[in-house]
Amino acid sequence: MEHKYSVLLAEDESLVLLGLKAILTQLGHTVVGEACTGRNAVSLCASLHPDLLIMDIKMPVLDGIQALEQINHMRKDKIPCIFISAYSDDHLIERAKAAGVFNYLVKPVRLEDVRVAVDITMQQYYEYIQVVQERDQAKEDLKNRKLIERAKGVLMDNFDMKEKQAMEFMQKKARDSHRKLSVVAQGILQMDEALK
């Protein structure tokens, strides 16, 4: 089962834009916006929140690479983006990769090229999102572990508890108050700070 996506198209050549729009429509995707400059692409991306961005590199005002950098800078995570360009020199490809592009097609593009590129791009995007979520969760877990360890230390110092006792005390408090252990630990640290 193929997924259908909302797509923002950024292309300054109207004939190419029309061709891409026809291809995407034929593939069942919805073109939610059309930009003819890089700056226009940045503002449309912010207001339309498309699933996917397909953008030319050589565009007026801001080129596609600068536009993608600005778009990704405004977001929590990178937008899945496919660059379409008549140019494929190494310098351009390096700049595109550094900006966070997911795929790159060289003009002229056919329906099959776009179908495969969209499929691969979105698969890579979902894998990227999963990695970002796992990284964020690991950071959160580490932060919470540090809080709990510090709160245990406060209980051990101030109430002459052993480590096991301090942990059991916090676990009981968390159960009784229906709060996370990290929230209880935060409360203990705040109280300790206030008493100093």
Side-chain angles (χ1 to χ4, degrees):
M1 153 106 188
E2 282 195 12
H3 295 281
K4 304 303 173 205
Y5 301 105
S6 65
V7 184
L8 173 63
L9 273 180
E11 167 64 68
D12 64 323
E13 291 178 48
S14 51
L15 277 177
V16 177
L17 184 81
L18 281 171
L20 284 170
K21 191 174 180 180
I23 286 172
L24 288 162
T25 305
Q26 205 174 329
L27 291 169
H29 305 297
T30 308
V31 175
V32 291
E34 298 169 23
C36 54
T37 70
R39 184 162 297 141
N40 196 211
V42 173
S43 61
L44 281 176
C45 231
S47 61
L48 297 173
H49 310 288
D51 298 324
L52 174 65
L53 172 61
I54 296 179
M55 183 158 52
D56 188 9
I57 289 182
K58 300 277 188 196
M59 282 199 298
V61 191
L62 278 180
D63 74 20
I65 294 171
Q66 294 166 320
L68 180 61
E69 286 168 344
Q70 286 190 17
I71 289 163
N72 283 337
H73 186 71
M74 295 184 315
R75 293 167 53 99
K76 187 170 111 35
D77 45 64
K78 294 191 289 191
I79 188 165
C81 174
I82 300 170
F83 276 141
I84 294 183
S85 180
Y87 309 93
S88 60
D89 62 89
D90 292 345
H91 174 67
L92 209 55
I93 291 169
E94 285 309 311
R95 277 185 65 214
K97 287 196 298 195
V101 75
F102 280 79
N103 218 317
Y104 195 110
L105 291 174
V106 178
K107 293 177 182 175
V109 295
R110 302 182 327 269
L111 182 134
E112 198 52 29
D113 300 331
V114 174
R115 188 186 67 74
V116 171
V118 168
D119 200 28
I120 289 171
T121 297
M122 295 312 287
Q123 175 65 39
Q124 286 178 329
Y125 175 70
Y126 292 129
E127 287 169 9
Y128 154 77
I129 287 297
Q130 193 171 350
V131 168
V132 167
Q133 287 170 344
E134 286 167 4
R135 181 204 66 199
D136 291 350
Q137 188 59 54
K139 276 186 184 171
E140 186 67 19
D141 292 347
L142 182 63
K143 191 180 97 183
N144 289 339
R145 269 202 303 278
K146 285 179 179 174
L147 273 180
I148 292 162
E149 287 304 314
R150 281 177 46 218
K152 262 195 318 194
V154 165
L155 292 174
M156 288 159 68
D157 292 346
N158 297 347
F159 299 98
D160 205 25
M161 292 183 181
K162 298 269 187 276
E163 188 178 356
K164 188 171 185 286
Q165 279 179 301
M167 190 64 184
E168 286 169 352
F169 171 83
M170 288 196 303
Q171 286 171 331
K172 182 177 181 340
K173 201 155 178 56
R175 274 196 308 274
D176 293 348
S177 62
H178 304 290
R179 288 185 302 175
K180 289 181 174 178
L181 195 55
S182 58
V183 175
V184 169
Q186 184 75 57
I188 290 168
L189 292 171
Q190 283 168 345
M191 203 177 303
D192 182 55
E193 203 58 46
L195 292 171
K196 279 181 179 171

